[in-house]
Amino acid sequence: KNGEEVYAATKCGSLLVFLTPPSIIQSLQGERRTDINLKVKPSVIFKVPGAAAAWQIVVSRNGKHVLFNSADCALRLYDIDEIFKHDGETNATNIPPRFVFQDTLSRSPWASADFSADGEYVVGGCNSYPQPGDNYNLFMWSTTTGELVDQLKGPHASLYSLSCHPTRSFIAVGSSDGVIDVWGPRVQWTAFAPDFQARQANVLYEEEEDEFDIVVDNNQGNAASEHKEPPEEGIVDIITVEKTAEEVTFPVRVLKLFSEKSKPNKSEM
C-alpha cells in the first residue's frame, strides 16, 4: 500500500519479502530522482507447500493479507503479521497458510484472483476444464472463515483476468470475446414479487396472441346474461317528443305568475 514491502516469487516455489529502505522511498517520492545502486536482501524467505511456483501475488488493500496464486491450482492466503514474525531468519522457513482455496471438483488452475474492496473476500476465476473456452466460473471465499460464499457461472468465453473495484462491490472480468463483464450484487427480486424464480440463463419470451386480452369471468358473464333485458318488439319511434311533468307544469306556473301581476290592485283604484 505504501511501498515499504515488496513481495516476489521464484520458480522453485520460494516466496521472498523485501523491506524497502526509507532512503529509496524518499528518493522515488522526491522531484529529483537519482540513480539508486543499492542491493536489498530479502527479510523473509519461506517455501510454498509442494514447491509450486507462484505466478500471481496480490496484497489486500487493507494490508492484512497476501494471496499467492500457485501453479498447483491452489490459492494460498497468508496473514502479513504472521509472515513478519519470521523477520531476519536467514534460512527458508515453512509458514503455513491461513487458508488454501481450490476447486475440488474440476481442479482447474486459477486464471486470476483478487481481493474485494474491504479485503473481506477473495475472488478467484478459472476456465472450464478440460475444454477451455466453454465458460468461466467465479468463486468467492471469506478471508475470516475460509468458507465458500458464492459461485458464479460466466458466459461462453475464457477468462483472462479479473479485478475488484477499489471502493464498491463490483468485479470486472476480461474475457476472450473482447467484452469486459461487470458483476455486481444480486437484486432480491423476491422482495418485489414473492413468486419470482431466477433463471440460470436468458430465455427468449414469445407473447401469445390472446395473452393480454381481457377475459370476463364465467360467473360474472352468466349473471350479466340473466339480468339482460329482453329486446323491444315493434318499431321504435324516434321522432315524437314526449312531454314530461316538468314541461307541462313549468309554462302553467309562468302564465299564472304573469296573470297575477296583470290584475289591478284595489289600493291603486
Side-chain angles (χ1 to χ4, degrees), residues 41-239:
K41 294 183 179 181
S43 300
V44 181
I45 304 174
F46 60 99
K47 286 280 189 179
V48 176
W55 56 42
Q56 185 184 15
I57 302 174
V58 186
V59 181
S60 62
R61 293 177 177 86
N62 57 10
K64 295 182 179 180
H65 307 288
V66 59
L67 184 70
F68 293 96
N69 187 359
S70 303
D72 59 350
C73 306
L75 296 174
R76 290 177 172 85
L77 180 68
Y78 289 88
D79 290 335
I80 293 180
D81 293 338
E82 184 67 25
I83 292 175
F84 278 96
K85 289 181 180 179
H86 304 273
D87 186 10
E89 297 181 3
T90 56
N91 297 327
T93 57
N94 294 324
I95 302 176
R98 180 182 178 89
F99 297 113
V100 178
F101 307 121
Q102 287 181 321
D103 185 4
T104 56
L105 297 178
S106 63
R107 300 282 297 179
S108 301
W110 301 106
S112 183
D114 196 5
F115 285 96
S116 61
D118 54 3
E120 297 295 329
Y121 301 97
V122 171
V123 182
C126 63
N127 295 306
S128 59
Y129 186 79
Q131 296 178 354
D134 290 345
N135 53 42
Y136 65 83
N137 297 316
L138 296 178
F139 296 82
M140 184 178 295
W141 299 274
S142 171
T143 58
T144 304
T145 61
E147 64 178 351
L148 181 64
V149 178
D150 202 351
Q151 181 177 353
L152 305 173
K153 186 176 182 180
H156 294 278
S158 297
L159 182 146
Y160 288 158
S161 64
L162 67 88
S163 180
C164 296
H165 195 276
T167 57
R168 304 181 65 182
S169 301
F170 292 105
I171 304 171
V173 176
S175 55
S176 60
D177 56 359
V179 179
I180 297 177
D181 301 330
V182 179
W183 298 79
R186 287 194 177 100
V187 180
Q188 298 295 334
W189 295 109
T190 53
F192 305 96
D195 57 345
F196 175 80
Q197 294 181 357
R199 295 184 178 272
Q200 297 295 332
N202 293 333
V203 178
L204 181 61
Y205 180 77
E206 296 182 359
E207 178 184 343
E208 297 181 1
E209 183 177 358
D210 58 346
E211 183 174 359
F212 295 100
D213 294 346
I214 300 176
V215 180
V216 181
D217 191 5
N218 293 331
N219 297 330
Q220 296 179 357
N222 295 334
S225 61
E226 293 177 358
H227 295 286
K228 187 176 181 180
E229 296 181 357
E232 297 181 356
E233 297 180 358
I235 301 174
V236 180
D237 185 6
I238 60 173
I239 300 176

